[in-house]
Amino acid sequence: MFWKKKKPKMDKVVKKTQDGSENYFIKLVLMGDGAVGKTSLRRNYLGMGFTEEHIMTIGADFAAKDVSYNFNGTNYNITYQIWDLAGQSTFNSVRSMYYKGCFGGLLVFDRTRPTSFENITNWLNELKKHSSRGKVPIIILGNKADLVENADPSTVVPDEKVEELVKKLNEEYADERFHIIYLSTSAKTGLNVDKAFHFMAASILSWLGVLDHPPRSIEELEEEHPIEENNKETDQ
Ligand code: G3D
Ligand code: MG
């Protein structure tokens, strides 16, 4: 049933190399309300460290990172092209271009700002509307985990609410060759940032039909594909 959708042309996506590894070029989009930490998460992942300075993103931009994962004995070299969009509604006109051709979306909310969580479904609808491929792999990131401990509990998004949404989405996405998970992240401490991209790689490769089944949780991913084998990261 997946293959009836707009399947990416595999020869455009993957290049096999002589040593048997496979090179993929994968566009990802960051989504979520303004100031949830999209730019900071990307910066953390790209290895440029964390800056407390808030620079307003204007329109959209992207940055690339090469990463190599081993799944079932095969090396998959992935070039992630990570797009970052300003959350402000004034940039609506760039949105369709932003989402077009993406392989996956990172849906980010701020764990200490409930409205940013409530808007997750709006972001997801926008992705579905504009990605030329219908339902693409997504992951839900509850960012600013480092602030939760000292935050007023009444302002913290309850984990149960997030899990409820994830359950609902997985029901809605039951026919797809990937599962949706929730990860609590911090762009400040780096909590779960690498794991989010590792999970994304496995989900996308499964979605493309390259891996025979998608992971259902981080625990399952790490058990099947231990992280020690997946540390060959190089920055561009
Ligand atoms: P955006 O790209 O989603 O709009 P930014 O968000 O990455 O620009 O981050 C918005 C603000 O939140 C910034 O603070 C940034 O430093 C902060 N931030 C982002 N992620 C985290 C996190 O995980 N923990 C903490 N403690 N802060 C985070 P300022 O104050 O510069 O506006
Ligand atoms: Mg930003």
Side-chain angles (χ1 to χ4, degrees), residues 57-101:
T57 317
I58 297 163
D61 65 88
F62 62 84
K65 174 159 171 138
D66 289 336
V67 61
S68 179
Y69 296 112
N70 188 295
F71 296 118
N72 309 326
T74 301
N75 277 328
Y76 297 92
N77 304 318
I78 293 173
T79 298
Y80 274 135
Q81 190 188 56
I82 309 162
W83 285 62
D84 188 9
L85 178 75
Q88 290 73 4
S89 56
T90 39
F91 299 120
N92 270 333
S93 56
V94 300
R95 289 230 166 98
S96 53
M97 187 198 80
Y98 181 75
Y99 294 117
K100 199 166 187 292

mmCIF file of all heavy atoms in Angstrom, residues 57-101:
data_model
loop_
_atom_site.group_PDB
_atom_site.id
_atom_site.type_symbol
_atom_site.label_atom_id
_atom_site.label_comp_id
_atom_site.label_asym_id
_atom_site.label_seq_id
_atom_site.Cartn_x
_atom_site.Cartn_y
_atom_site.Cartn_z
ATOM 1 N N THR A 57 15.100 33.741 12.792
ATOM 2 C CA THR A 57 15.298 33.153 11.468
ATOM 3 C C THR A 57 14.413 33.914 10.482
ATOM 4 O O THR A 57 13.253 34.163 10.763
ATOM 5 C CB THR A 57 14.885 31.668 11.479
ATOM 6 O OG1 THR A 57 15.399 31.092 12.664
ATOM 7 C CG2 THR A 57 15.399 30.945 10.267
ATOM 8 N N ILE A 58 14.952 34.226 9.362
ATOM 9 C CA ILE A 58 14.147 34.939 8.362
ATOM 10 C C ILE A 58 13.881 33.983 7.208
ATOM 11 O O ILE A 58 14.799 33.496 6.566
ATOM 12 C CB ILE A 58 14.863 36.205 7.879
ATOM 13 C CG1 ILE A 58 15.024 37.155 9.070
ATOM 14 C CG2 ILE A 58 14.090 36.870 6.738
ATOM 15 C CD1 ILE A 58 16.035 38.239 8.856
ATOM 16 N N GLY A 59 12.588 33.684 6.990
ATOM 17 C CA GLY A 59 12.240 32.770 5.914
ATOM 18 C C GLY A 59 12.695 31.367 6.231
ATOM 19 O O GLY A 59 12.304 30.796 7.222
ATOM 20 N N ALA A 60 13.528 30.800 5.362
ATOM 21 C CA ALA A 60 13.995 29.432 5.563
ATOM 22 C C ALA A 60 15.449 29.308 5.147
ATOM 23 O O ALA A 60 15.933 30.075 4.325
ATOM 24 C CB ALA A 60 13.147 28.475 4.733
ATOM 25 N N ASP A 61 16.128 28.375 5.751
ATOM 26 C CA ASP A 61 17.486 28.074 5.322
ATOM 27 C C ASP A 61 17.776 26.608 5.628
ATOM 28 O O ASP A 61 16.985 25.943 6.289
ATOM 29 C CB ASP A 61 18.503 28.988 6.019
ATOM 30 C CG ASP A 61 18.536 28.752 7.501
ATOM 31 O OD1 ASP A 61 19.298 27.885 7.945
ATOM 32 O OD2 ASP A 61 17.777 29.410 8.241
ATOM 33 N N PHE A 62 18.874 26.102 5.125
ATOM 34 C CA PHE A 62 19.195 24.717 5.438
ATOM 35 C C PHE A 62 20.686 24.555 5.674
ATOM 36 O O PHE A 62 21.493 25.382 5.265
ATOM 37 C CB PHE A 62 18.707 23.769 4.340
ATOM 38 C CG PHE A 62 19.330 24.006 2.990
ATOM 39 C CD1 PHE A 62 20.564 23.448 2.686
ATOM 40 C CD2 PHE A 62 18.679 24.764 2.037
ATOM 41 C CE1 PHE A 62 21.135 23.663 1.438
ATOM 42 C CE2 PHE A 62 19.246 24.983 0.798
ATOM 43 C CZ PHE A 62 20.485 24.436 0.496
ATOM 44 N N ALA A 63 21.017 23.456 6.354
ATOM 45 C CA ALA A 63 22.412 23.116 6.593
ATOM 46 C C ALA A 63 22.526 21.610 6.434
ATOM 47 O O ALA A 63 21.553 20.877 6.615
ATOM 48 C CB ALA A 63 22.824 23.521 8.003
ATOM 49 N N ALA A 64 23.717 21.139 6.057
ATOM 50 C CA ALA A 64 23.880 19.713 5.784
ATOM 51 C C ALA A 64 24.799 19.053 6.804
ATOM 52 O O ALA A 64 25.665 19.695 7.397
ATOM 53 C CB ALA A 64 24.431 19.516 4.385
ATOM 54 N N LYS A 65 24.561 17.771 6.998
ATOM 55 C CA LYS A 65 25.436 16.979 7.855
ATOM 56 C C LYS A 65 25.540 15.573 7.286
ATOM 57 O O LYS A 65 24.531 14.973 6.913
ATOM 58 C CB LYS A 65 24.886 16.925 9.274
ATOM 59 C CG LYS A 65 25.677 15.995 10.187
ATOM 60 C CD LYS A 65 25.457 16.321 11.641
ATOM 61 C CE LYS A 65 26.064 15.248 12.529
ATOM 62 N NZ LYS A 65 26.759 15.802 13.679
ATOM 63 N N ASP A 66 26.759 15.053 7.247
ATOM 64 C CA ASP A 66 26.976 13.671 6.813
ATOM 65 C C ASP A 66 27.060 12.787 8.036
ATOM 66 O O ASP A 66 27.764 13.101 8.989
ATOM 67 C CB ASP A 66 28.305 13.540 6.056
ATOM 68 C CG ASP A 66 28.238 14.196 4.695
ATOM 69 O OD1 ASP A 66 27.122 14.338 4.166
ATOM 70 O OD2 ASP A 66 29.299 14.567 4.172
ATOM 71 N N VAL A 67 26.345 11.676 7.988
ATOM 72 C CA VAL A 67 26.358 10.762 9.114
ATOM 73 C C VAL A 67 26.300 9.346 8.556
ATOM 74 O O VAL A 67 25.785 9.134 7.459
ATOM 75 C CB VAL A 67 25.189 11.110 10.077
ATOM 76 C CG1 VAL A 67 23.855 10.980 9.404
ATOM 77 C CG2 VAL A 67 25.239 10.327 11.341
ATOM 78 N N SER A 68 26.893 8.398 9.291
ATOM 79 C CA SER A 68 26.907 7.024 8.805
ATOM 80 C C SER A 68 26.328 6.101 9.873
ATOM 81 O O SER A 68 26.737 6.152 11.030
ATOM 82 C CB SER A 68 28.354 6.642 8.488
ATOM 83 O OG SER A 68 28.396 5.323 8.041
ATOM 84 N N TYR A 69 25.360 5.307 9.490
ATOM 85 C CA TYR A 69 24.752 4.354 10.422
ATOM 86 C C TYR A 69 24.903 2.945 9.870
ATOM 87 O O TYR A 69 24.816 2.728 8.671
ATOM 88 C CB TYR A 69 23.257 4.631 10.588
ATOM 89 C CG TYR A 69 22.921 5.960 11.196
ATOM 90 C CD1 TYR A 69 22.292 6.944 10.444
ATOM 91 C CD2 TYR A 69 23.209 6.237 12.526
ATOM 92 C CE1 TYR A 69 21.956 8.177 10.996
ATOM 93 C CE2 TYR A 69 22.881 7.456 13.096
ATOM 94 C CZ TYR A 69 22.259 8.416 12.323
ATOM 95 O OH TYR A 69 21.929 9.632 12.872
ATOM 96 N N ASN A 70 25.076 2.014 10.779
ATOM 97 C CA ASN A 70 25.106 0.614 10.372
ATOM 98 C C ASN A 70 23.790 -0.041 10.779
ATOM 99 O O ASN A 70 23.442 -0.076 11.955
ATOM 100 C CB ASN A 70 26.290 -0.096 11.039
ATOM 101 C CG ASN A 70 26.469 -1.483 10.482
ATOM 102 O OD1 ASN A 70 25.613 -2.344 10.658
ATOM 103 N ND2 ASN A 70 27.568 -1.706 9.787
ATOM 104 N N PHE A 71 23.073 -0.533 9.780
ATOM 105 C CA PHE A 71 21.854 -1.282 10.068
ATOM 106 C C PHE A 71 22.011 -2.668 9.448
ATOM 107 O O PHE A 71 22.246 -2.783 8.237
ATOM 108 C CB PHE A 71 20.625 -0.595 9.462
ATOM 109 C CG PHE A 71 20.325 0.766 10.052
ATOM 110 C CD1 PHE A 71 20.354 1.905 9.261
ATOM 111 C CD2 PHE A 71 20.011 0.915 11.397
ATOM 112 C CE1 PHE A 71 20.063 3.162 9.786
ATOM 113 C CE2 PHE A 71 19.727 2.165 11.939
ATOM 114 C CZ PHE A 71 19.756 3.287 11.134
ATOM 115 N N ASN A 72 21.919 -3.680 10.259
ATOM 116 C CA ASN A 72 21.987 -5.075 9.784
ATOM 117 C C ASN A 72 23.229 -5.357 8.946
ATOM 118 O O ASN A 72 23.162 -6.037 7.922
ATOM 119 C CB ASN A 72 20.733 -5.442 8.974
ATOM 120 C CG ASN A 72 19.460 -5.099 9.710
ATOM 121 O OD1 ASN A 72 19.419 -5.185 10.937
ATOM 122 N ND2 ASN A 72 18.435 -4.687 8.992
ATOM 123 N N GLY A 73 24.365 -4.783 9.328
ATOM 124 C CA GLY A 73 25.614 -5.100 8.646
ATOM 125 C C GLY A 73 25.920 -4.249 7.422
ATOM 126 O O GLY A 73 26.994 -4.362 6.838
ATOM 127 N N THR A 74 24.983 -3.403 7.026
ATOM 128 C CA THR A 74 25.251 -2.516 5.880
ATOM 129 C C THR A 74 25.448 -1.093 6.383
ATOM 130 O O THR A 74 24.724 -0.639 7.269
ATOM 131 C CB THR A 74 24.066 -2.541 4.882
ATOM 132 O OG1 THR A 74 23.879 -3.888 4.445
ATOM 133 C CG2 THR A 74 24.328 -1.654 3.675
ATOM 134 N N ASN A 75 26.440 -0.412 5.800
ATOM 135 C CA ASN A 75 26.636 0.990 6.152
ATOM 136 C C ASN A 75 25.775 1.873 5.270
ATOM 137 O O ASN A 75 25.810 1.762 4.047
ATOM 138 C CB ASN A 75 28.105 1.390 5.949
ATOM 139 C CG ASN A 75 28.937 1.011 7.146
ATOM 140 O OD1 ASN A 75 28.455 1.013 8.282
ATOM 141 N ND2 ASN A 75 30.185 0.670 6.907
ATOM 142 N N TYR A 76 25.041 2.730 5.911
ATOM 143 C CA TYR A 76 24.228 3.705 5.185
ATOM 144 C C TYR A 76 24.801 5.081 5.471
ATOM 145 O O TYR A 76 24.774 5.543 6.614
ATOM 146 C CB TYR A 76 22.765 3.620 5.630
ATOM 147 C CG TYR A 76 22.139 2.272 5.315
ATOM 148 C CD1 TYR A 76 22.153 1.246 6.254
ATOM 149 C CD2 TYR A 76 21.582 2.031 4.061
ATOM 150 C CE1 TYR A 76 21.615 -0.001 5.964
ATOM 151 C CE2 TYR A 76 21.033 0.788 3.764
ATOM 152 C CZ TYR A 76 21.054 -0.218 4.708
ATOM 153 O OH TYR A 76 20.526 -1.442 4.401
ATOM 154 N N ASN A 77 25.371 5.689 4.448
ATOM 155 C CA ASN A 77 25.910 7.037 4.593
ATOM 156 C C ASN A 77 24.815 8.016 4.206
ATOM 157 O O ASN A 77 24.312 7.973 3.088
ATOM 158 C CB ASN A 77 27.123 7.236 3.678
ATOM 159 C CG ASN A 77 28.184 6.188 3.949
ATOM 160 O OD1 ASN A 77 28.467 5.853 5.092
ATOM 161 N ND2 ASN A 77 28.747 5.632 2.886
ATOM 162 N N ILE A 78 24.458 8.841 5.152
ATOM 163 C CA ILE A 78 23.341 9.742 4.908
ATOM 164 C C ILE A 78 23.825 11.185 4.918
ATOM 165 O O ILE A 78 24.547 11.598 5.830
ATOM 166 C CB ILE A 78 22.252 9.548 5.979
ATOM 167 C CG1 ILE A 78 21.617 8.155 5.817
ATOM 168 C CG2 ILE A 78 21.179 10.636 5.888
ATOM 169 C CD1 ILE A 78 20.656 7.787 6.906
ATOM 170 N N THR A 79 23.442 11.924 3.900
ATOM 171 C CA THR A 79 23.608 13.369 3.961
ATOM 172 C C THR A 79 22.239 13.931 4.322
ATOM 173 O O THR A 79 21.290 13.830 3.549
ATOM 174 C CB THR A 79 24.078 13.952 2.609
ATOM 175 O OG1 THR A 79 25.352 13.389 2.316
ATOM 176 C CG2 THR A 79 24.210 15.463 2.679
ATOM 177 N N TYR A 80 22.157 14.432 5.529
ATOM 178 C CA TYR A 80 20.922 15.081 5.948
ATOM 179 C C TYR A 80 20.988 16.533 5.517
ATOM 180 O O TYR A 80 21.957 17.233 5.821
ATOM 181 C CB TYR A 80 20.810 15.076 7.477
ATOM 182 C CG TYR A 80 20.200 13.847 8.098
ATOM 183 C CD1 TYR A 80 20.795 13.271 9.211
ATOM 184 C CD2 TYR A 80 19.008 13.303 7.631
ATOM 185 C CE1 TYR A 80 20.239 12.161 9.829
ATOM 186 C CE2 TYR A 80 18.443 12.193 8.249
ATOM 187 C CZ TYR A 80 19.065 11.630 9.349
ATOM 188 O OH TYR A 80 18.501 10.547 9.968
ATOM 189 N N GLN A 81 19.964 16.962 4.833
ATOM 190 C CA GLN A 81 19.841 18.384 4.575
ATOM 191 C C GLN A 81 18.705 18.855 5.476
ATOM 192 O O GLN A 81 17.551 18.444 5.298
ATOM 193 C CB GLN A 81 19.508 18.612 3.101
ATOM 194 C CG GLN A 81 19.605 20.061 2.708
ATOM 195 C CD GLN A 81 19.096 20.289 1.310
ATOM 196 O OE1 GLN A 81 17.958 19.954 0.992
ATOM 197 N NE2 GLN A 81 19.925 20.851 0.472
ATOM 198 N N ILE A 82 19.044 19.645 6.467
ATOM 199 C CA ILE A 82 18.060 19.994 7.496
ATOM 200 C C ILE A 82 17.578 21.431 7.298
ATOM 201 O O ILE A 82 18.351 22.379 7.411
ATOM 202 C CB ILE A 82 18.658 19.823 8.910
ATOM 203 C CG1 ILE A 82 19.286 18.433 9.052
ATOM 204 C CG2 ILE A 82 17.585 20.048 9.972
ATOM 205 C CD1 ILE A 82 20.266 18.335 10.215
ATOM 206 N N TRP A 83 16.291 21.532 7.006
ATOM 207 C CA TRP A 83 15.700 22.843 6.753
ATOM 208 C C TRP A 83 15.123 23.422 8.032
ATOM 209 O O TRP A 83 14.562 22.715 8.859
ATOM 210 C CB TRP A 83 14.600 22.716 5.694
ATOM 211 C CG TRP A 83 15.146 22.532 4.310
ATOM 212 C CD1 TRP A 83 15.911 21.495 3.872
ATOM 213 C CD2 TRP A 83 14.985 23.416 3.202
ATOM 214 N NE1 TRP A 83 16.232 21.685 2.554
ATOM 215 C CE2 TRP A 83 15.674 22.850 2.114
ATOM 216 C CE3 TRP A 83 14.310 24.631 3.019
ATOM 217 C CZ2 TRP A 83 15.712 23.462 0.864
ATOM 218 C CZ3 TRP A 83 14.344 25.230 1.771
ATOM 219 C CH2 TRP A 83 15.052 24.645 0.716
ATOM 220 N N ASP A 84 15.257 24.703 8.145
ATOM 221 C CA ASP A 84 14.814 25.405 9.346
ATOM 222 C C ASP A 84 13.959 26.590 8.893
ATOM 223 O O ASP A 84 14.365 27.351 8.023
ATOM 224 C CB ASP A 84 16.069 25.883 10.101
ATOM 225 C CG ASP A 84 15.746 26.449 11.470
ATOM 226 O OD1 ASP A 84 14.595 26.321 11.923
ATOM 227 O OD2 ASP A 84 16.665 27.020 12.090
ATOM 228 N N LEU A 85 12.784 26.683 9.500
ATOM 229 C CA LEU A 85 11.816 27.698 9.066
ATOM 230 C C LEU A 85 11.458 28.599 10.237
ATOM 231 O O LEU A 85 11.320 28.134 11.356
ATOM 232 C CB LEU A 85 10.546 26.982 8.585
ATOM 233 C CG LEU A 85 9.366 27.820 8.126
ATOM 234 C CD1 LEU A 85 9.629 28.405 6.755
ATOM 235 C CD2 LEU A 85 8.110 26.973 8.099
ATOM 236 N N ALA A 86 11.255 29.849 9.960
ATOM 237 C CA ALA A 86 10.757 30.738 11.007
ATOM 238 C C ALA A 86 9.298 30.374 11.277
ATOM 239 O O ALA A 86 8.553 30.114 10.348
ATOM 240 C CB ALA A 86 10.882 32.169 10.549
ATOM 241 N N GLY A 87 8.898 30.307 12.532
ATOM 242 C CA GLY A 87 7.540 29.875 12.872
ATOM 243 C C GLY A 87 6.485 30.939 12.603
ATOM 244 O O GLY A 87 5.303 30.678 12.649
ATOM 245 N N GLN A 88 6.916 32.126 12.314
ATOM 246 C CA GLN A 88 5.988 33.239 12.186
ATOM 247 C C GLN A 88 5.096 33.098 10.952
ATOM 248 O O GLN A 88 5.560 32.730 9.885
ATOM 249 C CB GLN A 88 6.753 34.566 12.115
ATOM 250 C CG GLN A 88 7.411 34.961 13.429
ATOM 251 C CD GLN A 88 8.637 34.144 13.796
ATOM 252 O OE1 GLN A 88 9.070 33.300 13.022
ATOM 253 N NE2 GLN A 88 9.164 34.377 14.982
ATOM 254 N N SER A 89 3.826 33.424 11.141
ATOM 255 C CA SER A 89 2.850 33.204 10.068
ATOM 256 C C SER A 89 3.114 34.079 8.839
ATOM 257 O O SER A 89 2.667 33.777 7.746
ATOM 258 C CB SER A 89 1.441 33.465 10.588
ATOM 259 O OG SER A 89 1.394 34.768 11.115
ATOM 260 N N THR A 90 3.852 35.143 9.018
ATOM 261 C CA THR A 90 4.130 36.035 7.883
ATOM 262 C C THR A 90 4.925 35.330 6.783
ATOM 263 O O THR A 90 5.008 35.815 5.672
ATOM 264 C CB THR A 90 4.942 37.264 8.334
ATOM 265 O OG1 THR A 90 5.891 36.829 9.292
ATOM 266 C CG2 THR A 90 4.064 38.335 8.907
ATOM 267 N N PHE A 91 5.520 34.181 7.140
ATOM 268 C CA PHE A 91 6.331 33.498 6.140
ATOM 269 C C PHE A 91 5.562 32.384 5.439
ATOM 270 O O PHE A 91 6.143 31.496 4.844
ATOM 271 C CB PHE A 91 7.618 32.949 6.772
ATOM 272 C CG PHE A 91 8.482 34.036 7.344
ATOM 273 C CD1 PHE A 91 8.815 34.050 8.686
ATOM 274 C CD2 PHE A 91 8.968 35.051 6.526
ATOM 275 C CE1 PHE A 91 9.604 35.068 9.214
ATOM 276 C CE2 PHE A 91 9.760 36.069 7.038
ATOM 277 C CZ PHE A 91 10.078 36.080 8.384
ATOM 278 N N ASN A 92 4.209 32.446 5.510
ATOM 279 C CA ASN A 92 3.382 31.396 4.913
ATOM 280 C C ASN A 92 3.731 31.097 3.461
ATOM 281 O O ASN A 92 3.667 29.959 3.028
ATOM 282 C CB ASN A 92 1.901 31.775 4.995
ATOM 283 C CG ASN A 92 1.302 31.254 6.282
ATOM 284 O OD1 ASN A 92 1.791 30.269 6.819
ATOM 285 N ND2 ASN A 92 0.275 31.911 6.775
ATOM 286 N N SER A 93 4.085 32.138 2.724
ATOM 287 C CA SER A 93 4.313 31.948 1.290
ATOM 288 C C SER A 93 5.505 31.043 0.980
ATOM 289 O O SER A 93 5.546 30.415 -0.059
ATOM 290 C CB SER A 93 4.503 33.297 0.602
ATOM 291 O OG SER A 93 5.562 33.968 1.243
ATOM 292 N N VAL A 94 6.462 30.950 1.886
ATOM 293 C CA VAL A 94 7.617 30.094 1.589
ATOM 294 C C VAL A 94 7.385 28.646 2.016
ATOM 295 O O VAL A 94 8.179 27.768 1.724
ATOM 296 C CB VAL A 94 8.934 30.583 2.252
ATOM 297 C CG1 VAL A 94 9.293 31.972 1.792
ATOM 298 C CG2 VAL A 94 8.885 30.496 3.758
ATOM 299 N N ARG A 95 6.256 28.415 2.696
ATOM 300 C CA ARG A 95 6.067 27.110 3.327
ATOM 301 C C ARG A 95 5.988 25.940 2.350
ATOM 302 O O ARG A 95 6.598 24.903 2.586
ATOM 303 C CB ARG A 95 4.815 27.125 4.200
ATOM 304 C CG ARG A 95 5.024 27.975 5.431
ATOM 305 C CD ARG A 95 4.607 27.208 6.652
ATOM 306 N NE ARG A 95 5.104 27.875 7.848
ATOM 307 C CZ ARG A 95 4.366 28.681 8.592
ATOM 308 N NH1 ARG A 95 3.127 28.916 8.290
ATOM 309 N NH2 ARG A 95 4.898 29.249 9.670
ATOM 310 N N SER A 96 5.224 26.092 1.256
ATOM 311 C CA SER A 96 5.058 24.930 0.374
ATOM 312 C C SER A 96 6.401 24.527 -0.229
ATOM 313 O O SER A 96 6.713 23.343 -0.340
ATOM 314 C CB SER A 96 4.010 25.199 -0.702
ATOM 315 O OG SER A 96 4.328 26.377 -1.374
ATOM 316 N N MET A 97 7.195 25.521 -0.545
ATOM 317 C CA MET A 97 8.525 25.233 -1.080
ATOM 318 C C MET A 97 9.392 24.549 -0.007
ATOM 319 O O MET A 97 10.160 23.638 -0.280
ATOM 320 C CB MET A 97 9.178 26.537 -1.513
ATOM 321 C CG MET A 97 10.483 26.364 -2.223
ATOM 322 S SD MET A 97 11.384 27.922 -2.200
ATOM 323 C CE MET A 97 12.070 27.922 -0.571
ATOM 324 N N TYR A 98 9.193 25.009 1.188
ATOM 325 C CA TYR A 98 9.956 24.477 2.317
ATOM 326 C C TYR A 98 9.738 22.971 2.494
ATOM 327 O O TYR A 98 10.678 22.202 2.665
ATOM 328 C CB TYR A 98 9.504 25.239 3.560
ATOM 329 C CG TYR A 98 10.178 24.861 4.847
ATOM 330 C CD1 TYR A 98 11.479 25.265 5.106
ATOM 331 C CD2 TYR A 98 9.512 24.125 5.822
ATOM 332 C CE1 TYR A 98 12.101 24.953 6.298
ATOM 333 C CE2 TYR A 98 10.121 23.798 7.014
ATOM 334 C CZ TYR A 98 11.418 24.216 7.251
ATOM 335 O OH TYR A 98 12.020 23.891 8.433
ATOM 336 N N TYR A 99 8.482 22.552 2.425
ATOM 337 C CA TYR A 99 8.161 21.151 2.697
ATOM 338 C C TYR A 99 8.368 20.222 1.509
ATOM 339 O O TYR A 99 8.536 19.024 1.668
ATOM 340 C CB TYR A 99 6.698 21.022 3.129
ATOM 341 C CG TYR A 99 6.406 21.688 4.448
ATOM 342 C CD1 TYR A 99 5.528 22.763 4.538
ATOM 343 C CD2 TYR A 99 7.010 21.239 5.612
ATOM 344 C CE1 TYR A 99 5.262 23.377 5.753
ATOM 345 C CE2 TYR A 99 6.751 21.834 6.823
ATOM 346 C CZ TYR A 99 5.879 22.905 6.883
ATOM 347 O OH TYR A 99 5.628 23.487 8.080
ATOM 348 N N LYS A 100 8.323 20.777 0.314
ATOM 349 C CA LYS A 100 8.330 19.956 -0.894
ATOM 350 C C LYS A 100 9.525 18.999 -0.932
ATOM 351 O O LYS A 100 10.663 19.411 -0.760
ATOM 352 C CB LYS A 100 8.366 20.867 -2.122
ATOM 353 C CG LYS A 100 7.920 20.194 -3.387
ATOM 354 C CD LYS A 100 7.673 21.252 -4.459
ATOM 355 C CE LYS A 100 7.073 20.664 -5.694
ATOM 356 N NZ LYS A 100 7.927 19.795 -6.453
ATOM 357 N N GLY A 101 9.221 17.733 -1.149
ATOM 358 C CA GLY A 101 10.282 16.749 -1.327
ATOM 359 C C GLY A 101 10.970 16.297 -0.050
ATOM 360 O O GLY A 101 11.975 15.598 -0.115
#
